Amino acid sequence: MYRKSFYALLVVVLAFVHGRSQKTTAAYSSENLKIIPLTEHSFVHISYLNVPEYGRVACNGAIYMNSGEAVVFDTPVDDAVSRELIQWITETKKHQVTAVVINHFHNDCVGGLASFHDLDIPSFANQQTLVLAKQEGHTVPKVGFENTMELKVGNQIVINRFFGEAHTRDNIISYVPSEALLFGGCAVKSMGAGKGNLEDANLIEWSATMEKVKKAYPKVQTVIPGHGNPGGIELLEYTQNMFKKK
């Protein structure tokens, strides 16, 4: 119990510190949602998970837009903020949300999924995520895949792939080749972050999983972690080294 409490506190503190250091130039900002541009077509969305005693923890998701279509990677933390995000995409940016991709089964990924389903927006995730989300009592993504799934966004593709276990047994990596952009979720750590919540982690496979991601996408330029600041391929290397067997 003490071990779990220690790691829970550690992830909250680190997420809060790194969340506060996110770039302040926002395309959109409200009390509960920030949207930070990375390129003309890609954005980080940041929402805040309220954790008793520790306050608000910043949680990252991503958006990719192209030719009037948009895909969202991970939902904001609840339905109200998810509706706020969808409204910004559809009304301000004039793009239709054609899909939401879930990184893994934790609540900071699926907390607002019902709002997407209310609008008949298709949701996709690793087949394992569907099983685990149901077990946890979370809203369950509609469509599961086994290893790799590509989505068309305008005239470009997004590659969603399961490389192996890391932060959770179901975590995937989403990659936009045209942007050289990778959304790693909580499987990828921001620079300076600690190991965080390890309750569902595979510490034996985590480093090897990051090595596979690096080999698959050697030209990646932008990497978005689950918490904290985006960076480049150095985030994959940092995470790999953190969990390397001594």
Side-chain angles (χ1 to χ4, degrees):
M1 180 64 70
Y2 173 81
R3 182 182 178 87
K4 288 186 178 181
S5 298
F6 172 78
Y7 284 125
L9 173 59
L10 183 62
V11 70
V12 167
V13 171
L14 288 173
F16 179 75
V17 169
H18 288 279
R20 285 175 64 90
S21 67
Q22 289 275 11
K23 294 179 181 178
T24 55
T25 304
Y28 176 87
S29 181
S30 72
E31 182 181 356
N32 298 311
L33 176 66
K34 285 184 172 54
I35 302 172
I36 311 294
L38 297 174
T39 69
E40 179 183 355
H41 301 286
S42 60
F43 304 80
V44 177
H45 68 78
I46 306 166
S47 56
Y48 303 89
L49 192 64
N50 288 309
V51 180
E53 299 181 29
Y54 302 113
R56 285 157 47 101
V57 178
C59 304
N60 294 339
I63 313 161
Y64 171 61
M65 302 181 187
N66 182 50
S67 302
E69 296 181 349
V71 61
V72 174
F73 303 95
D74 281 353
T75 77
V77 298
D78 61 36
D79 289 322
V81 185
S82 292
R83 288 191 292 270
E84 189 176 348
L85 175 66
I86 295 167
Q87 184 176 17
W88 180 80
I89 294 171
T90 57
E91 296 184 8
T92 301
K93 300 303 288 184
K94 308 299 183 186
H95 281 63
Q96 178 186 1
V97 181
T98 55
V100 56
V101 177
I102 301 303
N103 182 270
H104 63 279
F105 74 96
H106 285 167
N107 199 48
D108 53 356
C109 302
V110 300
L113 189 54
S115 289
F116 289 82
H117 289 172
D118 287 345
L119 296 171
D120 294 324
I121 296 169
S123 56
F124 302 87
N126 185 343
Q127 186 64 43
Q128 295 182 79
T129 304
L130 275 63
V131 175
L132 294 168
K134 184 176 181 179
Q135 288 177 358
E136 292 295 313
H138 299 325
T139 303
V140 179
K142 296 292 187 183
V143 181
F145 64 91
E146 292 293 340
N147 295 306
T148 303
M149 180 201 65
E150 293 187 1
L151 287 174
K152 202 100 180 281
V153 186
N155 60 355
Q156 299 295 337
I157 64 166
V158 173
I159 305 168
N160 306 286
R161 182 174 170 185
F162 175 67
F163 283 90
E165 298 186 17
H167 174 69
T168 59
R169 75 190 80 165
D170 62 321
N171 47 212
I172 64 170
I173 298 293
S174 295
Y175 186 67
V176 186
S178 62
E179 301 284 293
L181 180 141
L182 184 150
F183 179 67
C186 297
V188 177
K189 300 297 179 180
S190 61
M191 291 301 293
K195 292 182 177 180
N197 178 12
L198 303 179
E199 195 166 308
D200 298 303
N202 187 326
L203 301 181
I204 296 173
E205 296 297 326
W206 199 324
S207 183
T209 297
M210 290 299 101
E211 176 64 19
K212 293 175 188 176
V213 177
K214 281 172 50 186
K215 286 183 176 179
Y217 305 126
K219 296 182 180 179
V220 64
Q221 295 178 10
T222 305
V223 176
I224 305 171
H227 306 276
N229 291 333
I233 198 168
E234 72 275 5
L235 298 194
L236 302 179
E237 295 166 348
Y238 175 76
T239 307
Q240 180 182 0
N241 290 332
M242 178 184 292
F243 293 101
K244 190 171 289 184
K245 298 173 186 176
K246 304 299 183 183

